[in-house]
């Protein structure tokens, strides 16, 4: 079984960093001439998968836009993710799950166990019930060759005051930001990959619109971790910014864009993906 980190490395090296978000906002469904219903989000997702296949290595469906239609929406999501994986795309389910005990075990089983109807290649999770609450989920991911992206420094401005707050262990004099502590407490799972130049299965979400160093996320803190970077495209970060933002870690970045691509509509989608992907390649050559 090839682990998630190794599969992601191949995808990034082959196609570049661009990850296409599958975010069927109501206004986009309307723009695309689709119903705001489970049938509409299914068609939307399938068209994105068709356009993305062979052009990028990763897609990221936003679960909330499917979940809002109940069981039919989840059925649509199952179809979209299965089609994406069958097309050779890595699927990051953007569900941001976070809980404790057997509840979190249930989420891990739903999204990360092979054969599950909602099986994805990786899942976004929240550590804010304590990073240790994710321990079983992280080990489940490794056992099944899956990945997890843990929220660390997100791109929404309202998160900064929490994620840059300082934390001091009772038993030590360590003074770290919350984001740095999260990175430290999950990076053990990546093991030797962090020291052998490879990618481990446990990644971190680090927004492209924040200064990661203000969050304590140095190169050393992020070593060996895949980095899911929202904030490119419509949120303001440009492909040419990637080397400046991530430096030596740039080859490990999954650069997520959604509205900047999806706004092209179904007829312009493939061309827009090619256009955006080329911008990242030019930035890496600069």
């Amino acid at each position: 079984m090839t682990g998630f980190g190794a599969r992601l490395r191949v995808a990034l090296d082959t196609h570049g960093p661009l990850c296409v978000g599958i975010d069927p906002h109501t206004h986009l469904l309307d723009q695309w001439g689709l119903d705001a219903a489970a049938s509409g989000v299914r068609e939307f997702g399938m068209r994105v998968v068709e356009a993305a296949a062979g052009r990028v290595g990763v897609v990221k469906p936003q679960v909330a836009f499917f979940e809002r239609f109940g069981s039919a929406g989840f059925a649509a999501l199952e179809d979209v993710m299965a089609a994406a994986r069958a097309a050779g795309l890595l699927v990051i389910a953007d569900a941001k799950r976070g809980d404790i005990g057997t509840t979190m075990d249930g989420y891990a089983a739903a999204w990360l166990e092979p054969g599950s109807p909602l099986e994805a290649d990786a899942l976004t999770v929240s550590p804010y019930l304590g990073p240790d609450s994710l321990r079983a989920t992280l080990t489940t991911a490794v056992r099944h060759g899956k990945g997890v992206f843990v929220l660390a420094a997100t791109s929404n401005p309202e998160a900064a005051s929490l994620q840059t707050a300082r934390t001091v262990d009772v038993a030590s004099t360590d003074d770290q930001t919350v984001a740095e502590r999260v990175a430290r407490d999950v990076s053990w799972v990546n093991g030797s990959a962090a020291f052998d130049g490879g990618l481990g299965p446990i990644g971190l979400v680090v927004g492209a619109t924040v200064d990661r160093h203000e969050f304590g996320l140095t190169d050393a803190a992020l070593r060996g971790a895949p980095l899911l970077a929202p904030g490119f495209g419509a949120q303001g970060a440009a492909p040419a910014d990637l080397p400046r933002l991530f430096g030596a870690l740039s080859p490990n970045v999954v650069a997520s864009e959604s509205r900047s691509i999806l706004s092209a509509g179904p007829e312009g989608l493939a061309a827009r993906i090619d256009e955006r992907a080329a911008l990242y390649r030019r930035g890496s050559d600069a």
Side-chain angles (χ1 to χ4, degrees), residues 26-179:
T26 299
H27 75 274
L28 286 173
L29 291 171
D30 183 63
Q31 178 185 323
W32 285 35
L34 298 172
D35 292 335
S39 59
V41 295
R42 183 187 185 280
E43 179 65 19
F44 186 101
M46 290 298 195
R47 292 185 184 184
V48 176
V49 167
E50 181 180 5
R55 291 184 166 88
V56 297
V58 187
V59 293
K60 183 174 68 66
Q62 171 48 256
V63 170
F65 291 117
F66 295 84
E67 185 174 330
R68 60 183 170 149
F69 297 112
S71 59
F74 272 113
L77 179 60
E78 291 169 11
D79 289 347
V80 170
M81 292 199 301
R85 299 183 71 237
L89 293 160
L90 291 179
V91 175
I92 302 172
D94 195 357
K96 298 182 179 70
R97 298 302 192 235
D99 216 306
I100 59 173
T102 55
T103 306
M104 196 62 204
D105 293 344
Y107 285 135
W111 298 98
L112 300 175
E113 285 194 0
S116 167
L118 288 167
E119 181 183 359
D121 295 290
L123 174 70
T124 60
V125 300
S126 172
Y128 294 111
L129 288 178
D132 278 349
S133 66
L134 301 175
R135 183 174 292 264
T137 300
L138 304 186
T139 55
T140 295
V142 173
R143 184 167 66 250
H144 294 307
K146 302 295 189 179
V148 171
F149 286 93
V150 183
L151 304 182
T154 55
S155 57
N156 55 314
E158 61 268 26
S161 60
L162 169 62
Q163 293 165 358
T164 60
R166 312 298 298 190
T167 177
V168 179
D169 286 339
V170 174
S172 75
T173 58
D174 289 347
D175 180 16
Q176 300 175 308
T177 66
V178 170

Side-chain angles (χ1 to χ4, degrees), residues 200-229:
I202 308 306
L204 294 157
V205 177
V206 180
T209 55
V210 303
D211 182 345
R212 63 185 173 93
H213 295 284
E214 292 182 357
F215 289 71
L217 297 177
T218 62
D219 286 12
L222 300 176
R223 182 170 53 185
L227 303 175
L228 177 60

Side-chain angles (χ1 to χ4, degrees), residues 12 16-21 227-232 239 242 253-257 280:
L12 292 173
L18 180 60
C19 164
V20 177
L227 303 175
L228 177 60
F232 286 99
L242 193 152
V253 172
V254 179
S256 178
E257 295 195 27
Y280 287 97

